[in-house]
């Protein structure tokens, strides 16, 4: 059965994540990721978020706008299962879903109202920069947090990789990290790379290939050694 709905963006999310590769696969995994939900007209009114500052966390409902063209799939291969096993799309949090709607709980740090622009300062998001937000709701612990819930294939947080910087990357990090344009840069890089963003079939394998993630307007270059993930260069982004 069809219904007539006109969903529009109520806001857009500003995040350090400039490309899909490297974004954590769920919220809360990289708390050093700071960003903003910027309300869009006609919702850009402080009255529309009155009272929200009393909550520590928010639900963001959003559109996987960079994946819509790929459409949906009946079954998908969750990275958790090494990419080898298929599950039904509705049994996963895959981006290949009908309607392309995602949902994430994020931490709310502040509500801002500057020069007629209302924004919510958040952290821990798993959203691409520019993601359209289609709804914002307060997280309500007594009903949203369920003790002893069964987490299926995702009962535990992913195992983290060891991340370290080589000498060149250490000195480049020193140049960038006091710049207010890159808040919590070291923790952000470490948090993102500790997730090991590579495809599931490569996990836990040494890998001389040069990988790159884009955070803010920086490209972070890295390889995988026997000791973990080695950051080898930070440089101005090319994307
Ligand atoms: N927490 C959400 C959920 O469960 O609905 C999203 C989970 S989904 C597995 C997270 C991934 O979506 C990220 O790692 C990133 O690759 C991708 N992603 C985030 N924002 C996106 C966007 N605007 N368009 C397409 N893909 C996006």
């Amino acid at each position: 059965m069809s219904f007539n709905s006109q969903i529009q963006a109520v806001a857009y999310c500003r995040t350090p994540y400039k490309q899909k590769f490297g974004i954590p696969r769920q919220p809360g995994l990289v708390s050093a990721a700071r960003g903003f939900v910027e309300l869009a007209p006609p919702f850009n009114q402080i009255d529309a978020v009155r009272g929200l500052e009393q909550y520590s966390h928010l639900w963001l409902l959003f559109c996987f706008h960079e994946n819509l063209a790929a459409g949906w799939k009946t079954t998908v291969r969750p990275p958790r299962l090494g990419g080898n096993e298929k599950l039904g799309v509705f049994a996963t949090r895959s981006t290949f879903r009908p309607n392309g709607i995602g949902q994430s709980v994020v931490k709310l740090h502040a509500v801002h109202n500057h020069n007629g622009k209302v924004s919510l300062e958040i952290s821990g998001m798993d959203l691409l920069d520019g993601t359209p937000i289609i709804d914002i709701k307060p997280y309500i612990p007594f009903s949203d947090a369920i003790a002893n819930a069964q987490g299926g294939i995702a009962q535990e947080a992913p195992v983290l990789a060891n991340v370290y910087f080589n000498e060149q990357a250490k000195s480049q990090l020193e140049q960038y990290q006091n710049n207010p344009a890159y808040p919590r840069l070291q923790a952000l890089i470490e948090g993102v790379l500790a997730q090991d963003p590579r495809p599931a079939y490569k996990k836990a394998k040494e890998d001389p290939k040069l990988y790159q993630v884009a955070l803010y307007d920086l490209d972070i270059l890295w390889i995988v050694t026997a000791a973990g993930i080695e950051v080898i260069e930070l440089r101005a982004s090319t994307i």
Side-chain angles (χ1 to χ4, degrees), residues 32-226:
R34 294 293 280 251
F36 293 88
V37 173
E38 297 177 346
L39 268 63
F43 314 102
N44 180 32
Q45 304 172 42
I46 193 67
D47 276 351
V49 291
R50 190 189 296 174
L52 197 60
E53 71 287 348
Q54 299 170 52
Y55 294 87
S56 64
H57 291 78
L58 305 176
W59 282 107
L60 298 179
L61 301 184
F62 61 93
C63 178
F64 290 114
H65 73 305
E66 287 286 320
N67 213 45
L68 291 177
W72 71 283
K73 296 180 178 164
T74 313
T75 57
V76 295
R77 297 174 189 272
R80 281 265 181 177
L81 299 177
N84 300 321
E85 212 178 308
K86 289 184 175 178
L87 290 180
V89 62
F90 298 128
T92 75
R93 305 284 279 264
S94 167
T95 59
F96 296 98
R97 40 199 333 116
N99 300 318
I101 292 175
Q103 61 181 83
S104 293
V105 174
V106 297
K107 185 166 170 54
L108 174 65
H109 294 271
V111 176
H112 298 288
N113 183 19
H114 295 313
N115 302 325
K117 290 188 177 169
V118 179
S119 66
L120 312 175
E121 190 171 349
I122 59 166
S123 67
M125 73 299 275
D126 54 349
L127 278 66
L128 190 64
D129 186 44
T131 295
I133 305 294
I134 58 172
D135 208 350
I136 300 164
K137 303 185 187 195
Y139 175 88
I140 300 178
F142 85 82
S143 67
D144 292 350
I146 301 175
N148 305 319
Q150 293 303 303
I153 61 164
Q155 186 69 28
E156 306 287 342
V159 176
L160 299 181
N162 177 45
V163 178
Y164 61 98
F165 294 72
N166 74 6
E167 289 308 315
Q168 170 182 258
K170 268 185 208 160
S171 72
Q172 290 165 336
L173 180 65
E174 273 172 29
Q175 291 166 33
Y176 288 118
Q177 72 178 353
N178 291 327
N179 184 331
Y182 312 118
R184 305 202 58 202
L185 183 61
Q186 181 172 352
L188 178 65
I189 296 171
E190 288 171 349
V192 165
L193 297 186
Q195 311 291 319
D196 191 348
R198 293 177 300 162
Y201 69 92
K202 290 198 165 179
K203 289 271 182 200
K205 287 190 190 135
E206 244 180 275
D207 188 352
K209 184 178 163 184
L210 187 60
Y211 290 94
Q212 170 185 324
V213 294
L215 299 174
Y216 299 111
D217 60 356
L218 299 175
D219 285 341
I220 315 300
L221 307 183
W222 50 282
I223 56 173
V224 184
T225 70

Side-chain angles (χ1 to χ4, degrees), residues 1-21:
M1 202 195 322
S2 170
F3 69 101
N4 191 8
S5 159
Q6 293 200 328
I7 292 179
Q8 57 183 315
V10 301
Y12 291 89
C13 203
R14 293 285 151 223
T15 83
Y17 302 124
K18 306 296 176 187
Q19 62 182 28
K20 284 186 277 180
F21 181 65

